[in-house]
Amino acid sequence: MPSMQASDAHVAAMRLALTEAREALATGDVPVGAVVLDADGRVVGRGRNTRERDLDPTGHAEVVALREAARELGTWRLDGCTLVVTLEPCTMCAGAVVGSRVATLVFGAWDDKAGAVGSLWDVVRDRRLNHRPEVVPDVLAVESTALLRDFFGDLRG
């Protein structure tokens, strides 16, 4: 399944996700941010990595944003929604995208160590699964990659 092209709305939403990612830095979490847009383009969920802050291994930005969107919309079925995240989702998050029925997945940086949307695996396009979202990669990839590179560069000092 070929990737879609990024729209102005995708770029604007990625800027919001980057803001969320920067907020994760305050708690020592890896700077990954996410937002969920409903079918009308309204932000219904926001998330940032919270694993360190909450001592929660599932505290990935995507999961946090999907949970908030489900509460906001009153349903776990996020049909018609778009998840925008600064980093290619891992297997857990790609599974959450499929399970929540998100229509479109937009991401910035590729993750060659844990990515599950084309880097190591391609969970969201697996034809054996009952749902396959459209994928829009590389949206503000330079900014997303730089934020992560700076974070890990500072850690390695």
Side-chain angles (χ1 to χ4, degrees):
M1 181 182 313
S3 299
M4 293 175 50
Q5 293 296 316
S7 69
D8 290 343
H10 294 147
V11 172
M14 186 61 77
R15 291 193 192 291
L16 296 174
L18 282 162
T19 297
E20 291 293 324
R22 288 182 195 98
E23 293 290 326
L25 292 169
T27 57
D29 278 285
V30 176
V32 177
V35 296
V36 177
L37 307 174
D38 69 8
D40 296 324
R42 182 176 61 102
V43 175
V44 292
R46 293 176 187 264
R48 65 184 72 106
N49 276 3
T50 61
R51 290 190 309 171
E52 298 297 329
R53 185 190 78 189
D54 297 346
L55 305 175
D56 178 1
T58 68
H60 288 208
E62 300 95 321
V63 172
V64 173
L66 291 169
R67 285 178 179 155
E68 186 174 291
R71 280 192 302 272
E72 173 71 19
L73 297 173
T75 181
W76 63 268
R77 287 183 169 272
L78 302 179
D79 299 313
C81 288
T82 298
L83 173 66
V84 180
V85 61
T86 59
L87 180 64
E88 176 188 4
C90 68
T91 52
M92 175 182 71
C93 295
V97 167
V98 171
S100 65
R101 312 298 194 270
V102 165
T104 306
L105 169 64
V106 177
F107 70 89
W110 290 90
D111 185 350
D112 60 352
K113 294 181 181 173
V117 185
S119 288
L120 292 181
W121 301 280
D122 203 348
V123 171
V124 300
R125 293 186 188 104
D126 190 319
R127 295 207 177 275
R128 295 169 293 181
L129 298 175
N130 64 339
H131 177 74
R132 289 180 300 281
E134 294 291 334
V135 176
V136 183
D138 297 315
V139 177
L140 298 182
V142 171
E143 293 90 332
S144 297
T145 301
L147 189 59
L148 290 159
R149 188 180 313 114
D150 291 349
F151 174 79
F152 286 110
D154 289 347
L155 280 181
R156 293 181 185 114

